[in-house]
Amino acid sequence: MSTLFLPSLLAAEGELASAAALTPATGAASYAWLMVAIPAVSAAVLLLLGRRSDAWGHWLATLASWASFAVGVAILVQLLAVPAESRRMVAHLFDWIPAGDFSVNVAFLLDPLSLTFVMLVTFVGSLIHVYAIAYMEHDTDRRRFFAYLNLFIAAMLTLVLGDSYAVLFVGWEGVGLASYLLIGFWNQVPDNAKAAKKAFVMNRVGDMGLLIAMMAMVATFGTVNIAEVAQAASGAPVAALTLIGIFLLVGACGKSAQFPLQAWLGDAMAGPTPVSALIHAATMVTAGVYLVVRSGPLYVAAPVASAAVAVIGAITLIFGAIVGAAKDDLKKVLAASTMSQIGYMMLGAGLGPIGWAFAIFHLFTHGFFKALMFLGAGSVMHGMGDQVNMRRFGALRSAMKVTWLTFMAGWLAILGVPPFSGFWSKDKIIEAAFALDTFAGSPAPWAPWVFGLVAMVGAGMTAFYMSRLYFMTFHGTKRWTTEAEGAPVHPHESGALMTGPMVVLAVCAVAIGGALSWGDTFIHWLEPAIGGTAHPHPVLPVWAIQVATLLLVAVGALAAWKMYAKDEVPTAIPAGNSLVRAARNDMYQDQVNDAIFTVPGSALVKGAASGDRLVVDGAVGAVAAASRGLGRFVTQAQNGYTRAYASYILGGVVLALAIVLGFRL
């Protein structure tokens, strides 16, 4: 596998080197710091004022998020107004770590890649803020919830704007903290607190990978500046670059819930639904894809690491699809879907320069239709008494028409049905996976067939489990009762503050993919940041790949319609075969983690504790016992009797004389 991707990657190296040079930020770009400062200050104000801001805190937080979006739009307009080669700017804020030859500045990198994420984070995030005003209306801690949302936005913007891995890491840890606070927001329920802790701990594993990668960068390049590392990567030792690439991948797996660090994502649904939408669409789980693509020049010269990214993506996209096909929890199906779709993006990122732009394109379109479906799920829960069991839904299209129609747009988009957005982005990754360009001349001529077929089959599986969700929720027969008592439920449509953002996102799910793919607009937009993207030359004709993919999508959707719309859906969970039971239990990922890490780790800790008691504590105890014994012996000699002391003196004199006489003889 060491040379699996080498030919195409090296061929693209010249294109990477021609990426636009960095220039100091001017005009609106010099105010980039406001995008982070405004939501961060808003969060601080709401947390410090406490209950005094309960009445208006949610409005302040929402306004702050939209203000960040407005600043981002101003910078975007500035970049679009200049030639492509001038679309990479650095806004320096202050010196952070001056340490001799090594230094780190706090500065923001403003280029098409970072601005793409800024638009996604602030626009989708702001719509989620508006939705949450109504969704969290009756929560007594709504003000604190919105403070955490603003903290999330500020941290994610820091992550994607940082011009060094050190600044990126500050945002990286910030989104980890914010996700912990939001997943466990209703921590009065023990399971919610456990879910937040699980996400936090598993992400720390990934964070350690990113830290090790940064340490290796300092050892190899003497810097963690993104542009300087990219420039020096082509001349660095391949072994060092491979090490850095692998540990960057570990970090990406943790944050983006990729195999084998994906176990936290389903449990993260414990948080309020707007949090789920924010994590899955605009912030946390997209960070790993950003990290890999931003580090592209490193992977260009480290083909083993690049291949590992593609393999992890391929495994995860199938893993998530299998889990999603068996779950009955509405939000957990969507969580598995995110895992699978991020797998597509990681596969695209692992294909090298030919797949980077497609990975980001799918990330961008996915952000809109996945946010839409999570908000739609929240609307369903709102109308169904906070239930999430799809076996208690059915035929909701008659009671929640706006939710049904907008969710339909997201469903068709993720299926990749033309002309919806997913068709223009996900299918490009499938075509790139079949590409001869990536694998030509490699010792693995089967590679394009393996990766291409995995991506294509994944599309069919996506069609099945997402259609299953859609039909079980909105079609078929009514099953509107509570799970515990079997009492009737009376679903109703959500208010305008909830349906309004869903309508906007539905329009984006329908149109944004086609609009940005026209004339390869989005791909050309990213060129100053990631270099040029050649059109792939698949082992099969493009039309054949598209037709085969759409046929698989149709088969998956029809199978789901037959099983979950035409046939009766039982309210009780069927037993299922062993694979179904495993998928319902997340493929036993928690049990595997316990067996491989938790149990041996606990045994190691217990062994170390026993060794500490036996060796360290034992040695200290032995010294103490000896000291006490010596003290008791000395105490016996100090008895206070004059005759005893005189006998000691006499004995000493006799002993001294005996020694002297012994030497003389």
Side-chain angles (χ1 to χ4, degrees), residues 5-281:
F5 292 4
L6 190 56
S8 72
L9 291 175
L10 293 181
E13 190 171 342
E15 296 179 8
L16 288 173
S18 65
L22 294 171
T23 58
T26 58
S30 61
Y31 295 97
W33 59 273
L34 286 173
M35 291 189 289
V36 175
I38 292 173
V41 170
S42 170
V45 167
L46 297 183
L47 292 174
L48 291 174
L49 288 181
R51 293 293 181 189
R52 288 170 289 181
S53 59
D54 278 354
W56 47 265
H58 49 287
W59 293 111
L60 175 64
T62 304
L63 181 62
S65 186
W66 282 113
S68 289
F69 171 69
V71 176
V73 169
I75 299 173
L76 176 65
V77 170
Q78 179 181 345
L79 288 188
L80 289 172
V82 300
E85 61 270 14
S86 301
R87 291 177 183 168
R88 296 192 77 209
M89 301 180 182
V90 174
H92 181 271
L93 301 183
F94 57 87
D95 297 336
W96 181 20
I97 306 175
D101 294 334
F102 177 81
S103 63
V104 176
N105 301 323
V106 174
F108 290 156
L109 175 58
L110 304 167
D111 68 0
L113 180 58
S114 61
L115 261 293
T116 297
F117 276 83
V118 166
M119 290 295 99
L120 178 64
V121 171
T122 56
F123 182 68
V124 174
S126 297
L127 289 175
I128 292 171
H129 273 69
V130 173
Y131 177 96
I133 291 173
Y135 191 88
M136 301 294 290
E137 181 178 7
H138 302 294
D139 196 293
T140 56
D141 288 321
R142 179 168 63 168
R143 176 261 321 158
R144 179 166 57 88
F145 176 80
F146 274 86
Y148 293 161
L149 285 186
N150 271 193
L151 177 62
F152 216 149
I153 295 290
M156 188 64 188
L157 291 175
T158 301
L159 190 158
V160 299
L161 288 170
D163 84 324
S164 70
Y165 289 94
V167 177
L168 179 152
F169 188 73
V170 173
W172 192 272
E173 291 302 291
V175 295
L177 171 63
S179 67
Y180 170 76
L181 295 172
L182 286 166
I183 293 169
F185 184 75
W186 290 322
N187 54 34
Q188 65 272 19
V189 179
D191 286 344
N192 296 349
K194 290 178 182 177
K197 183 171 65 175
K198 181 178 181 180
F200 191 81
V201 170
M202 292 200 73
N203 270 271
R204 298 293 74 74
V205 176
D207 296 351
M208 183 56 67
L210 180 52
L211 277 172
I212 294 173
M214 291 168 60
M215 296 174 194
M217 288 178 196
V218 174
T220 305
F221 307 111
T223 181
V224 290
N225 181 275
I226 291 173
E228 293 174 0
V229 168
Q231 187 175 8
S234 59
V238 174
L241 293 173
T242 301
L243 176 71
I244 294 170
I246 292 296
F247 279 109
L248 286 175
L249 175 59
V250 172
C253 286
K255 201 64 72 183
S256 292
Q258 296 294 282
F259 180 85
L261 297 178
Q262 80 287 352
W264 64 270
L265 194 63
D267 296 274
M269 297 302 97
T273 302
V275 174
S276 304
L278 195 61
I279 289 176
H280 288 251

Side-chain angles (χ1 to χ4, degrees), residues 266-335:
D267 296 274
M269 297 302 97
T273 302
V275 174
S276 304
L278 195 61
I279 289 176
H280 288 251
T283 56
M284 188 163 168
V285 296
T286 65
V289 181
Y290 171 81
L291 179 67
V292 172
V293 174
R294 179 62 86 184
S295 305
L298 289 168
Y299 287 101
V300 164
V304 170
S306 190
V309 174
V311 169
I312 290 296
I315 292 172
T316 309
L317 77 87
I318 296 297
F319 186 102
I322 292 173
V323 171
K327 294 286 188 180
D328 294 321
D329 185 314
L330 176 64
K331 289 177 65 178
K332 289 192 175 183
V333 174
L334 291 175

Side-chain angles (χ1 to χ4, degrees), residues 323 326-327 580-591:
V323 171
K327 294 286 188 180
V580 171
R581 291 194 297 271
R584 286 178 187 151
N585 201 27
D586 298 319
M587 304 303 289
Y588 304 113
Q589 52 191 329
D590 287 333
Q591 290 84 344

Side-chain angles (χ1 to χ4, degrees), residues 450-519:
V450 171
F451 284 105
L453 289 173
V454 164
M456 185 182 286
V457 170
M461 296 175 70
T462 299
F464 174 76
Y465 73 78
M466 287 305 302
S467 298
R468 175 179 180 268
L469 178 153
Y470 179 72
F471 292 132
M472 285 182 75
T473 302
F474 295 104
H475 291 265
T477 57
K478 299 177 182 179
R479 304 179 298 277
W480 302 348
T481 58
T482 59
E483 192 166 354
E485 299 86 7
V489 179
H490 304 286
H492 55 278
E493 187 59 271
S494 303
L497 281 176
M498 292 174 64
T499 57
M502 291 159 56
V503 170
V504 174
L505 290 169
V507 172
C508 294
V510 173
I512 200 167
L516 292 179
S517 66
W518 184 265

